[in-house]
């Protein structure tokens, strides 16, 4: 008989939204769609099974995981070049300046994730506030050739920030344009739909970190290896700019 401790652990795991859970839900959704499409085609009594080809439009889990890895690497490379990157409806990865603990006049750059305002409100999530965040994002955009003034509570999705490079993702993944756009829409649609039912979120971005939600607070926890790699870029990019 399972112990009480194992029951508690399994219950907690069921409330945790992980990358494995994300792809399980996508696969389950696709399977349900395939069953419905097959049923429709049979009911219409067609020999062509016109609507029964939906499985061809859905990607298998390995393809989706590979796409997620590519997306994570794209964000990682952008940040290492001190460029912002906007994710559909979720938020943006940016580089901000903050004061040194030793000297307030010395500004230190760091990667930071800004949760989309609309997403935060829809799911009643709190965000870590940075006093200089708006100006920092503006500077980040200016460095990337996209100078934009940010008003308080601006929805990131509404603003002219560099988003995903869909052409590069298509070439690297080997997917068609339709498959790519459908998969990305599906991934972030499932995230948006399933955030609320789960109390905790731990979505891993490989070689970058975790998007985490705990007790209503949403953060991105960059892993130590990436932070060390980012620090190595500070002098290099500063020298290049000079």
């Amino acid at each position: 008989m399972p112990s009480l401790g194992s029951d508690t652990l399994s219950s907690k795991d069921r409330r945790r939204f992980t990358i494995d859970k994300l792809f399980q839900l996508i696969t389950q959704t696709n399977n349900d769609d395939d069953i419905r499409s097959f049923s429709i085609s049979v009911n219409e009594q067609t020999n062509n099974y016109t609507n029964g080809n939906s499985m061809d439009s859905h990607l298998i889990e390995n393809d989706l995981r590979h796409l997620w890895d590519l997306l994570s690497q794209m964000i990682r490379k952008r940040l290492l070049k001190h460029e912002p990157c906007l994710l559909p409806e979720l938020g943006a990865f940016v580089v901000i300046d903050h004061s040194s603990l030793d000297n307030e006049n010395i500004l230190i750059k760091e990667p930071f994730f800004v949760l989309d305002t609309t997403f935060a409100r829809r799911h009643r999530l709190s965000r870590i506030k940075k006093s200089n965040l708006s100006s920092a994002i503006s500077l980040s955009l200016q460095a990337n050739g996209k100078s934009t003034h940010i008003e308080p509570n601006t929805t990131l999705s509404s603003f002219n920030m560099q988003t995903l490079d869909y052409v590069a993702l298509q070439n690297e993944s080997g997917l068609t344009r339709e498959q790519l756009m459908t998969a990305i829409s599906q991934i972030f649609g499932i995230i948006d739909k399933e955030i609320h039912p789960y109390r905790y979120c731990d979505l891993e971005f490989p070689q970058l970190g975790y998007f985490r939600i705990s007790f209503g607070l949403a953060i991105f926890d960059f892993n130590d290896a990436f932070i060390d790699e980012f620090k190595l870029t500070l002098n290099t990019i500063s020298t290049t700019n000079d």
Side-chain angles (χ1 to χ4, degrees):
M1 174 181 290
S3 66
L4 180 60
S6 63
D7 288 342
T8 303
L9 180 62
S10 62
S11 176
K12 184 176 181 179
D13 287 342
R14 283 196 296 271
R15 298 196 305 269
R16 190 175 296 277
F17 187 45
T18 65
I19 201 69
D20 289 333
K21 177 63 71 176
L22 169 64
F23 291 122
Q24 286 173 13
L25 289 168
I26 293 176
T27 300
Q28 180 180 329
T29 300
N30 289 344
N31 288 339
D32 290 343
D33 288 344
D34 292 334
I35 292 172
R36 281 193 293 269
S37 296
F38 182 79
S39 177
I40 289 172
S41 64
V42 169
N43 290 337
E44 290 178 348
Q45 296 182 352
T46 63
N47 293 326
N48 295 327
Y49 290 98
T50 308
N51 296 318
N53 296 332
S54 61
M55 188 169 293
D56 293 336
S57 65
H58 295 320
L59 302 178
I60 62 174
E61 184 173 333
N62 286 342
D63 290 327
L64 290 169
R65 287 183 179 273
H66 179 53
L67 177 58
W68 185 259
D69 286 343
L70 291 175
L71 189 149
S72 180
Q73 291 310 307
M74 175 176 291
I75 298 168
R76 175 178 160 275
K77 290 175 182 177
R78 289 262 184 89
L79 288 177
L80 291 177
K81 292 190 291 184
H82 296 191
E83 296 177 356
C85 185
L86 179 68
L87 291 184
E89 307 296 331
L90 187 63
F93 290 88
V94 298
V95 176
I96 67 172
D97 294 326
H98 68 93
S99 298
S100 168
L101 295 177
D102 299 326
N103 189 337
E104 291 185 358
N105 296 321
I106 298 178
L107 296 179
I108 301 175
K109 293 186 179 299
E110 68 173 1
F112 189 75
F113 179 75
V114 188
L115 189 68
D116 182 84
T117 304
T118 300
F119 187 94
R121 287 174 177 169
R122 183 161 60 246
H123 299 290
R124 299 180 179 180
L125 297 173
S126 300
R127 301 178 293 176
I128 295 177
K129 293 181 172 60
K130 298 276 187 177
S131 59
N132 61 343
L133 185 57
S134 292
S135 60
I137 299 179
S138 291
L139 290 173
S140 185
L141 291 170
Q142 288 172 16
N144 201 39
K146 299 180 183 294
S147 178
T148 307
H149 176 67
I150 304 175
E151 297 291 344
N153 296 324
T154 296
T155 300
L156 289 169
S157 304
S158 67
F159 147 107
N160 188 26
M161 183 183 289
Q162 186 177 7
T163 185
L164 303 176
D165 186 343
Y166 293 101
V167 174
L169 284 173
Q170 182 181 341
N171 292 336
E172 292 178 29
S173 65
L175 304 177
T176 66
R177 175 75 175 182
E178 181 181 2
Q179 285 176 321
L180 175 66
M181 300 306 291
T182 299
I184 289 178
S185 176
Q186 195 173 32
I187 287 172
F188 287 100
I190 291 289
I191 291 174
D192 187 36
K193 179 182 177 182
E194 298 296 334
I195 284 294
H196 185 67
Y198 291 86
R199 289 184 59 189
Y200 304 100
C201 174
D202 273 298
L203 288 179
E204 181 183 10
F205 286 68
Q207 298 184 46
L208 190 63
Y210 287 82
F211 174 62
R212 289 193 160 118
I213 295 175
S214 182
F215 299 105
L217 177 65
I219 64 169
F220 193 91
D221 188 8
F222 293 95
N223 63 40
D224 292 340
F226 173 76
I227 292 298
D228 289 342
E229 194 173 8
F230 180 83
K231 289 178 179 178
L232 292 176
T233 69
L234 296 178
N235 291 333
T236 302
I237 291 183
S238 177
T239 302
T240 301
N241 291 337
D242 293 341

